[in-house]
């Protein structure tokens, strides 16, 4: 069997060759049936800074191209190293397709930031400024994004989607009055914008204005009853308000609409844990882990569950699984110390603290 670092070893060997024939062969290997070979090819091409590989890799990012998430991560990271501006839109679309809680999103953030922003010499339209703002915001260039959104609104003050984006950017920056102004303005322009009510509900929840948040989530669901995100957000609000039965109903509906969403199952498991339905909670955590085994909070949820049941050894197994994924995971390290002390393994706990 291959050692744990086989890909690093072979990547360096291939990069060291730096010959046209090797580069061309690697480009062809992007379509090899073995996913590990495709990963190796993408990583090596990135290391070679291969301009010839940009178009073939962009083709693999399409929805009908590469399907393996780990290969896509390698392709995006390679494109980030190469730094071709043409990769911006394709990478953004791929990241959005997988979502912000995916491994792909988390492991490609730096690569996405490394790709230069397309510069346009002449004046932009409102739509172009809006898209520029989105791109800059996704690269975490928040002040530049804010300026782009404001320029979009100078061109078209009635562009509701720009008010939404700017409002959510202000929310991120904790500038709540401005956030409320722009989100409310968007809903004045388009009263049927169900996503806008959901977003303003998130703002009001963060501001502690729970009744206003609840009214907004209700309005969003009145306009779109199958809006799973609003159901999940309303469920989280019910938890904060102590309405666990209502929260459970919302999380269950959201999960029925999106059965492959591990976060929705996690929220259901949390409610079961709060209400001390331990068997149900464990079942839901396990189901969520089967969907996304890399979501560390699921392991910690099980740790909390087992700790309450005084199943310290079982909890330690779950902590170890989390730390296998991320050895520096702070919550996991804290729980490991606590569990080792509960099990009377003081020396091991001290070793973890030294780490």
């Amino acid at each position: 069997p291959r050692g744990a670092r086989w890909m690093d070893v072979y990547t360096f060997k291939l990069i060291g060759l730096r010959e046209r024939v090797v580069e061309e062969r690697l480009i062809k290997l992007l379509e090899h049936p073995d996913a590990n070979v495709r990963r190796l090819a993408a990583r090596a091409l990135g290391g070679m800074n291969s301009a010839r590989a940009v178009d073939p890799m962009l083709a693999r990012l399409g929805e009908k191209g590469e399907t393996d998430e780990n290969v896509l991560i390698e392709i995006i990271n390679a494109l980030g190293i190469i730094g071709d501006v043409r990769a911006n839109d394709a990478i953004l679309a791929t990241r959005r397709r997988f979502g912000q809680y995916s491994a792909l999103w988390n492991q490609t953030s730096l690569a996405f930031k490394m790709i230069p922003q397309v510069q346009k010499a002449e004046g932009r339209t409102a739509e172009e400024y809006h898209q520029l703002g989105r791109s800059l915001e996704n690269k975490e260039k928040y002040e530049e994004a804010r300026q782009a959104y404001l320029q979009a609104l100078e061109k078209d003050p009635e562009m509701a989607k720009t008010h939404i984006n700017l409002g959510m950017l202000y929310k991120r920056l904790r500038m709540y009055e401005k956030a409320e102004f722009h989100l409310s303005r968007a809903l004045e322009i388009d009263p049927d914008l169900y996503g806008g009510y959901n977003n303003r509900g998130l703002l009001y929840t963060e501001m502690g204005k729970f009744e206003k948040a609840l009214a907004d989530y209700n309005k969003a669901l009145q306009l779109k009853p199958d809006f799973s995100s609003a159901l999940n957000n309303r469920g989280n609000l019910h938890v904060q308000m102590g309405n666990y039965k209502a929260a459970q109903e919302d999380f269950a509906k959201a999960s029925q609409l999106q059965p492959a969403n591990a976060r929705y199952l996690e929220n259901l498991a949390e409610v079961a844990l709060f209400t001390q339905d331990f068997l149900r909670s464990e079942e839901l955590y396990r189901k969520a882990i089967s969907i996304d085994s890399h979501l560390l909070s699921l392991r910690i949820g099980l740790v909390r569950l087992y700790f309450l049941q005084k199943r310290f050894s079982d909890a330690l197994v779950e902590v170890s699984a989390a730390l296998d994924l991320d050895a520096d995971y702070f919550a996991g390290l804290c729980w490991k110390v606590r569990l080792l002390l509960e099990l009377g393994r003081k020396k091991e706990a001290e070793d973890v603290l030294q780490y």
Side-chain angles (χ1 to χ4, degrees):
R2 291 164 171 159
R5 296 191 62 206
W6 73 269
M7 187 169 291
D8 291 336
V9 172
Y10 281 96
T11 300
F12 286 124
K13 286 183 177 179
L14 289 167
I15 292 171
L17 295 173
R18 290 188 178 277
E19 295 180 9
R20 175 74 176 265
V21 65
V22 176
E23 185 181 17
E24 290 175 350
R25 178 62 178 157
L26 287 170
I27 290 172
K28 290 181 180 178
L29 289 177
L30 290 171
E31 299 185 10
H32 193 278
D34 188 327
N36 282 321
V37 174
R38 300 197 300 276
R39 288 178 62 205
L40 176 62
R43 186 179 292 190
L45 288 165
M48 290 178 174
N49 202 20
S50 172
R52 294 186 188 89
V54 172
D55 285 332
M57 285 196 284
L58 288 177
R60 298 298 295 169
L61 290 185
E63 289 192 37
K64 296 182 179 179
E66 182 57 62
T67 57
D68 188 285
E69 185 174 12
N70 290 319
V71 179
L72 286 167
I73 290 169
E74 295 291 351
I75 290 174
I76 292 173
N77 287 336
L79 289 167
I81 293 169
I82 296 166
D84 192 305
V85 296
R86 293 174 296 163
N88 255 307
D89 291 343
I91 291 177
L92 180 58
T94 304
R95 281 163 56 83
R96 285 181 173 158
R97 190 165 80 243
F98 278 79
Q100 63 179 325
Y101 298 119
S102 66
L104 183 141
W105 183 282
N106 292 324
Q107 294 179 37
T108 60
S109 295
L110 179 59
F112 185 50
K113 293 176 194 175
M114 289 167 64
I115 298 172
Q117 186 65 47
V118 178
Q119 298 298 324
K120 183 176 178 182
E122 65 273 18
R124 292 182 170 95
T125 64
E127 178 63 26
E128 286 170 335
Y129 274 121
H130 175 84
Q131 295 302 329
L132 176 62
R134 289 179 63 191
S135 180
L136 290 166
E137 187 175 357
N138 275 282
K139 291 177 184 289
E140 299 180 14
K141 297 180 179 180
Y142 299 134
E143 178 55 29
E144 293 175 58
R146 187 178 76 88
Q147 292 298 331
Y149 288 139
L150 288 171
Q151 287 174 304
L153 291 175
E154 281 185 17
K155 297 275 185 177
D156 183 358
E158 301 296 298
M159 187 176 279
K161 64 181 182 180
T162 304
H163 281 290
I164 291 288
N165 286 21
L166 184 54
M168 294 306 286
L169 178 57
Y170 279 130
K171 172 184 171 293
R172 181 192 294 272
L173 298 174
R174 299 188 179 184
M175 300 171 71
Y176 294 132
E177 288 186 10
K178 290 185 176 182
E180 184 177 10
F181 170 82
H182 285 285
L183 291 170
S184 299
R185 182 71 189 107
L187 294 170
E188 290 172 4
I189 294 166
D190 185 354
D192 295 326
L193 198 61
Y194 56 85
Y197 290 104
N198 182 55
N199 289 334
R200 195 172 66 177
L202 287 169
L203 172 67
Y204 284 143
T205 299
E206 193 167 308
M207 294 172 71
K209 297 181 177 182
F210 292 163
E211 293 302 327
K212 285 189 172 184
L214 184 59
D216 273 350
Y217 292 139
N218 289 342
K219 182 64 175 180
L221 289 163
Q222 178 188 333
L223 292 168
K224 186 173 173 59
D226 63 347
F227 193 2
S228 61
S229 180
L231 283 165
N232 184 64
N233 292 335
R234 190 173 69 177
N236 283 322
L237 175 63
H238 282 312
V239 168
Q240 292 188 58
M241 297 174 73
N243 301 329
Y244 295 126
K245 183 178 179 181
Q248 185 177 36
E249 291 174 357
D250 279 344
F251 291 146
K253 289 176 184 175
S255 189
Q256 287 169 5
L257 290 166
Q258 290 193 18
N261 190 311
R263 291 283 185 179
Y264 293 170
L265 286 170
E266 180 181 22
N267 287 339
L268 264 176
E270 286 283 298
V271 172
L273 181 60
F274 292 153
T275 56
Q276 298 188 359
D277 187 350
F278 295 148
L279 287 175
R280 179 62 174 158
S281 181
E282 182 173 8
E283 175 191 344
L284 289 164
Y285 277 127
R286 290 292 177 199
K287 187 175 180 181
I289 288 171
S290 72
I291 293 170
D292 187 352
S293 61
H294 290 83
L295 190 56
L296 296 175
S297 59
L298 297 174
R299 298 288 181 182
I300 298 303
L302 278 174
V303 170
R304 290 164 48 228
L305 168 62
Y306 293 152
F307 187 85
L308 288 173
Q309 296 177 301
K310 300 188 183 303
R311 294 165 58 184
F312 303 131
S313 294
D314 289 336
L316 190 58
V317 170
E318 296 304 324
V319 166
S320 297
L323 292 173
D324 283 343
L325 294 170
D326 183 354
D328 298 321
Y329 183 39
F330 185 70
L333 291 168
C334 292
W335 271 110
K336 186 172 184 178
V337 170
R338 187 172 184 180
L339 291 165
L340 287 170
L341 290 173
E342 289 287 352
L343 291 166
R345 293 157 63 176
K346 184 178 179 182
K347 178 62 171 65
E348 292 176 68
E350 290 174 349
D351 290 342
V352 175
L353 286 171
Q354 290 297 320
Y355 175 83

